[in-house]
Amino acid sequence: MEKNGFMKALKCRECGREYPLAATHVCEFDFGPLEVAYDYERIQTALTRETIGTRPQTMWRYRELLPVAGEPTVGRQVGFTPLVKADRLARELGIRELYVKNDAVNYPTLSFKDRVVSVALSRSVEMGFKTVACASTGNLANSVAANAAAAGLDAYVFIPHDLEQGKVVNSLVYGANVVGIKGHYDEVNRLCAEIAGKYGWAFVNVNMRPYYAEGSKSMGFEIQEQLGWHVPEHTVVCMASGSLLTKIHKSYQEFTKLGIVPKTPWKIHGAQATGCSPITTAQKSGLDFFKPVKPNTIAKSLAIGTPADGFYALRVMKETGGSGEDVSDDEIRDGIRLLAETEGIFAETAGGVTVGVAKKLIAQGKIPRDSSAVLCITGNGLKTIEAMSGHVGETREIRPSLREFEVLLSQDKPELVSQQGR
Ligand SMILES: *Cc1c(COP(=O)(O)O)cnc(C)c1O
Ligand SMILES: [Zn+2]
């Protein structure tokens, strides 16, 4: 293995200037975002379906396409979550074939953020950092806190002060330093940019962002492998910064370019909550640029009003012929319930956004009824209980008596009780 593994440089997405593989994320000339560039010629010989197949079932089976120089050291068990064939949900939504990529059960903190964090922290350790940090809407804080604890790193996580209880406790339990900022995510992010510059910590989604973002590709690599080495016709992805959507697209491009999957067309669709929909609003108006918004939605994990990769997410939707759509808080809850009742999967609010948007796009014909689609479910419902409590029916309480149970049952199924009773 060479000094930098299969990475060549950091490269500006705007002007193409190359930079050393350091903890830096913007181009000095035009402030364009930096992205990891790889040596695809060497990867082509190193990474084949066969080599992938011999490796453990984790996201690291695609390691040549992930930005670490040596062996990963943090989050080595992350990924390879189930791709569930969702026939009952398909029937409800009226589409021929449907799959759910279920990162609600990603290891160890039950969201797709474990993918980006395992890459960012492995790279941080490699570069000699002792303190890691992040600006988060919740799930990222959970994952940085847990993975830093397991790696023996000091962690500072910054979150909006009004997050769901589950997400706050899920960061504190690992002993991380949790800082609640009295403001929304975009203000948290601005503060973190200042702190990163001053203290030189590894901020996974600020100065380490080029490495961090690449971790999202693993969700797309897994989808292709789990479909039998095929790119799905349609993929629906929920968006906060828009990074995950662009990286799923990149994973399809890379496997196609390397000949790991056959060249077939694909469309990538973006999903947001109506209360924070800068990207889908721009997409629906046919604009290349979004207008920043002040978020107001129960989908707090997606509540980024100034999305860092919004521009590139719009471009991916446009280039692939995909669409954008958004859903109200009630539609988010309907989406969560529908996924739970048809497939037995309890997603967080972001998953409700994905399901609700898929339903709309199928009804509008933007995802044709005779096609095949993958829905990316990115987080677990147990972390956003507040969003559903009071909206899921109620427990009926009785004393431990057969008679009381039969009174209850006779309300539901009188024929059952009268057959038995005398
Ligand atoms: C962070 C997050 C996303 C979106 O991430 P981006 O890459 O910033 O668009 C989606 N779902 C959940 C549950 C998240 O926590
Ligand atoms: Zn540049």
Side-chain angles (χ1 to χ4, degrees), residues 11-17 19 26-34:
K11 193 171 177 181
C12 175
R13 287 196 69 162
E14 291 305 317
C15 70
R17 273 192 182 82
Y19 291 83
V26 278
C27 175
E28 290 165 17
F29 293 88
D30 52 19
F31 302 105
L34 303 184

Side-chain angles (χ1 to χ4, degrees), residues 27-99:
C27 175
E28 290 165 17
F29 293 88
D30 52 19
F31 302 105
L34 303 184
E35 189 173 39
V36 178
Y38 296 89
D39 184 346
Y40 287 114
E41 262 175 42
R42 278 176 53 231
I43 293 175
Q44 184 123 37
T45 43
L47 191 70
T48 62
R49 286 186 197 180
E50 289 67 38
T51 46
I52 294 168
T54 62
R55 295 174 177 172
Q57 294 197 329
T58 75
M59 63 178 274
W60 291 105
R61 66 208 258 112
Y62 319 104
R63 49 154 308 162
E64 286 84 351
L65 290 165
L66 296 172
V68 290
E71 287 297 316
T73 54
V74 184
R76 278 175 312 202
Q77 302 86 348
V78 175
F80 224 80
T81 56
L83 182 76
V84 178
K85 184 136 189 297
D87 292 339
R88 280 169 48 79
L89 181 58
R91 218 168 301 137
E92 283 295 321
L93 299 186
I95 185 169
R96 179 176 58 81
E97 190 174 69
L98 191 66
Y99 293 88

Side-chain angles (χ1 to χ4, degrees), residues 132-143:
V132 296
C134 68
S136 173
T137 57
N139 283 314
L140 183 59
N142 295 169
S143 188

